[in-house]
Every structure is written in C-alpha cells, then in structure tokens.
Amino acid sequence: MFATGLSPAAAEEPGFSRIPPPSLNFYGSVGLIDMPSAEMTYDGNVATTASYFRNHLRTTLTFQATPWLSASFRYNGTSNLQGLTALGFVSGTLWDRNFDVRVRLLKEGRYMPGITVGLQDLAGTGRESAEYIVATKTFATPLPGRPGKSGTLKVSAGLGWGRLGSSGSIGSPFGARPAPIVGIGSGGTFSTDQWFRGPVAPFGGIEWTPNERWGLKLEYSSDAYAEDVRLGAFERNSSLNFGVEYQATERTRLGAYYLYGSTLGVTAQIQLGPNHPVTPMRVTAPLTIQPRPSRVSNPAAWSTEWTTNRDVPLQLRDILDPLLRQDGLVLETLDVAANTAELRYRNLRYRSRINATGRAARAMASIMPASVEQFRLIEVSGGMALSAVVVNRSDLERLEFNRDPATAIEARLGYQDAPPLTENAVYGEGLYPGYSWSLAPYVSQSYFDPEVPFRFDVGLELRGSYQPAPGWVIAGAIRQRIWGNIADGQRSGSALPPVRTGAVDYAQYGTTMPNLFAAYQWRPALDFYGRVTVGYLEPMFGGVSAELLWKPVNSRLGLGVEANWARQRDFDQRFGFQNYDVLTGHASAYYEFDNGFIGQVDVGRYLAGDVGATFTLDREFDNGWLVGGFFTLTDVSASDFGEGSFDKGIRIRIPVSWFLGTPSRQAAGTTIRPITRDGGARLSVPGRLYPQIRAAHRRALSAQKARFWN
C-alpha cells in the first residue's frame, strides 16, 4: 500500500539544510505511532503535536531539556464517553491534562541500542498513566536501483506498564498496581506507588525512512484502550497500527495512519529548535577598529594636553552619540580621562548584550584620543547601571582579525561592578525628562476551560512611559478589547480568597487599565540593586512593592527580598479597589547552572495569605529562547487548593529576532498553567530586578562571546 506512493523522483533527498529531527508519536513524544521509541530529538528542541483519531484529540508540547532528558505537557479530549469511569461518571467529552518525562539510560552506539525509560501522565488524573522502558537500534538499508544510496530502518522494542501494559500482558513482576485515588477535577499529585506496578506487556515496531522526506511505520501496540472501548468511544479490533509520514518542511511533519483495525488517524508535528532560527540573523556591518598611529613615529598624537580643555568631553560626546544611535545604542553618560574612558549607554536593539558591548567598543575606538587605552562600557537599564565590561583598546586593535577572535577577546575582557558616577561625567543631550509611547495589538489567553479549551481576547493597547530623571519612570497602559470570549468562561469557586479565580469577572469590561505605576530603581551599594514601585501594578491588584537584590557581577548566586502591600482592584480595572488587601512578599535565591539553566527559589507569603515556596528551573539559550517550569507548594491543602492540587506550569519565550532575522529586544511568550487557582498566587510586579540584571552580568555575557565582534 505504501510503496505505490514513492516514485524514484520522490525518493530523492530534498536537500534540507539540516537533518529533520526524529518523528513523534500520537502522544507527542519521540516514537512510532501510539508507542514510544528510545530516541531523543535535538537538544533544546521544542515540539508541538496535534493528533486525532476516532473521538480522541491530543495536543502536546514537548521540550528536549538536555540531550538525555525530555518533558511533555499534554491536553487530551476524549468525546462520546458515556458511563462510570475510574474518575467518576462521564457524559460527553472528558478533557485531561498530564505531564510526561523521558530519560535516556544508554545512547545508541555502533553495536548497542539506545535505551530510554519514560513516565507518562506522572502527575495527572492517572487516566493516561503508563511507564515503559524501550530500546531502539538504527540500521542502514540499501535502496534497490539506487547504487550508493541507503535508507534508514529503526527497530524499537519495549515493555510497558499501566496503559501500555493493558494488552498482551506477560505478568506483573513488581506486584499489583493500585487504583488511582482521584476523581474528575483532581489530579496533580505523583502516584509513585503505581509506577512500574501491575501487568507488563511487550510492544514494538519499525520505522523505515528511504530519505529525509518520507517515513513508513508499523507497530504492535500494548494499549488495550479498555475504558474507551467499554464506554463506546473506541473500537479496537487489532494490535497493529500502520502509518505513512511526510516531512513537509524542516520543521513540519504530517502523518496518516490506520489504527487498531478500526479507524484512521492524522497528526501534525511542528518542531522548533532554538539554535535553528526561521530566518538567519542579518545585521549591519559594524565599524572597523581604527588602529592608532605609532607612538614612536607620531608622538604628538599621543599627547594628553587635550585633557586641559573642558570642552573636549562635550565634543567627544557629540561625535560619539550619532555613531551609537546608528547601532541602536543611546549615550547616557561619557566620562573621559587621559588614559581611560567610561561610557554608559542604553541598549535598544540587541538581545545579546555582548553584541551591544562590542558595538559600543568599536565606536569608542573610532573617536577617542590615542592616549585613551582602557574603555569601561556600562549598560544602563532604567537609569540604573548594571555592570561594567573593561577592555583595552590595544586588544581591540590586535585581536579583531585573530584566528579565533571570540575566544581571544573573551580572555582579555574584565567584568566589574559599575562604579559610582563621577562629577566629570557628561550626560547625553535630551534624555531627561524623556517619554515614549506605543499603540499595538494585544492578545490575552485563557487555557483549559472545560467547555472551550482555549479562549482569548484581542484588541488594541496604548502604552506610555515618562522618565523625569535617571532611575525614575511613570508608566501605564489602556486596553480596548475588540473581540474575545474569555468573558464567557466558567467561574470557579474557591475555598480561598478569590485572588485569581475571579479572572472571568475581570474580563467582562471592554476598556480597561491593566497598570498605572511609578517606580524608582537605584544602586544602594556595591553589588546591590534596589526598586520601589507604587500604583496599579497589574489588572487585579494595586499597592506598593519594594525589592532589594544582591548580585555580584562575577557570581552565579543572587539573593533578593521583596515586600508588598497589595489591595484587590475593582473588576472594571479603573481606579477603584475592593475590600481585600494582603501583605505579601518573598525571599529569593537565584543560581546560574551550566548550559543555560537558571534555578530560582522564592519563599514567602502569597496573595491568598498562604505561605510556602515556588521552585523554578529555566533554560535560557544564547539567542534569548527560554523554556522553563515551576511549581509552588504552600500550607494550603490539596482539597482547599482544588483541581490540580498545587500550582504549577511551564513558560516559553521566543525572541522576535529568531523569526525576523534582525536584531530586536522584543520577545513573544506565554505561561501555561494546567489550572489557575488561588493557592500559590504571586503578585505580578513590573520591572523586577533579577531578569534585567542577570543578562548583563558575566556568565550571560561570556556565553554570548561570539557576538562581540558582530
């Protein structure tokens, strides 16, 4: 049936610029059709999968967190169910959310297969729960009539428990599997007593890819779909599944299948790699480093008599400022002495901070008197100095065309805390007072309503800010909804103060003011950063927030404390308040691990008055991609918290430059919670310190060293 679809022309390699990643199964994990394989996809890969077969819709987001670890979040809908399930009585469609984790135990070698162990639905309702261990071996297969060409045959075999042990069981080697003690609307806890318990069954299959474009799959499934069959949502007549897949683009794969001897199924897979942008980066050529004349042949050029002229710093500022603006940088202050020059600048264009540093250094080298040997380059955010990168001008002149210029210059850069501003520094003209504004579309999302899984509002947002002096900002926004359906969502009751479950009530109004606040941030001491914010901080709360952060430039560790008094806003998000107020705040620890991983622990009191801690682990890539997850445990019981048992979620941020191929500080992102409840809810405060500061410190800058010369 499949051979007829592959003509010799279609079998030719399509010439993708990179090898497409391994294909995914109906659960959104690397695998066959309904069964997993032992493969892992590219490090950092983010995959979105949508699959459908009779009465079953599965949407999955999978992140390859490391070369040997992947995690998935899935949202499933099973329709036409009628009857009593392990979760309670169901009539109609049952929506279910769950998480998976896969760990590679052995990487495939020349003779040994790859081996992976997986936990499916490890913290959900248990309806999809399964565990497995699977091995995969890859073989090259000659192609008839095509000398020198070969296809790829992948053979997978494994053992499954839970759902994957429900058909063709060969026994229960580790004892009986306890029934899940949950009901509809519950879940969220780790049922470790069930893992690898109960009947175990073999599964396996093959995948043959004659080229990068086509793939054929055959598998033997060990999932009986027992409950779905009993409740009339599915018919299972065979354990064999067949499928054909087509790699439409480097990132998109489509598949069609015949499943369980009874139904057809389809999938669409989109895989996005942070290190494989949609559009390659295009930047304007930087200034060439201008070597100084020889001190021996031209000693007059090295004279420092110019330091006696008070107009020289102003003249240098006026020459340097337009050069910086061409590169998306703004001169904040300039302080010049006989042998050193300090530039404080705003970076308006480059997400890679070291890229901005390199451009600033080139501009300095093109105009400074020959006697100025050392440059101190300080990025400023909201009037606050973040860190100082120190570079010798002679190193710039000597290393620009080095065989490995990135490594060479990195060894010569110095990273320091920014010193206090001296009285000799001259400010850029027209900076204070300053203002900015924008008018742009906005989209607000709401996830996992039982009636409509994805709701959203769209409209226009007018934003404005006013900077009366360094460190000060007054900012706000007004929104006008044009269309949306969040207001039609379900209201949910709560045993706690409704600090987040009132979202539907806040969505009833078309013209709103999401925030209006004044903030001041400053440097109270060496290695310390401070912030105070007052006003309407977010759509649901206003109040006062104060933060103090300790973060040395060369340290992996950061420590902070934040204290807030917050009062709940009226539902119309104008100027009024409700009667609920709360003192909330956290002590926080931040740590930068290797490979872009950033850990954060926040301990304190939340908006509903509960006390506990939030644990966050993000992975940030050099180009600004970020994927992370978090969970919060407080003194609120699972029953009082409600559906989901505790707060948890994932977040994604994709830089605009990854799509457009031009430098930009902008990014698109979202946070996805399986369920939004009131426990573990933290106040949303604009301009928290750590994200803006860490990106300008040593580890983040060193990771981007290759962009210094761009």
Side-chain angles (χ1 to χ4, degrees), residues 645-661:
S645 302
F646 61 95
D647 187 53
K648 52 190 170 293
I650 56 179
R651 56 188 184 186
I652 300 174
R653 184 188 69 207
I654 304 176
V656 170
S657 57
W658 188 86
F659 293 101
L660 302 182

Side-chain angles (χ1 to χ4, degrees), residues 304-323:
T304 59
E305 291 183 3
W306 59 269
T307 59
T308 61
N309 187 342
R310 295 184 178 181
D311 292 333
V312 169
L314 295 173
Q315 295 168 0
L316 292 172
R317 178 202 64 186
D318 294 341
I319 298 172
L320 182 61
D321 185 63
L323 292 177

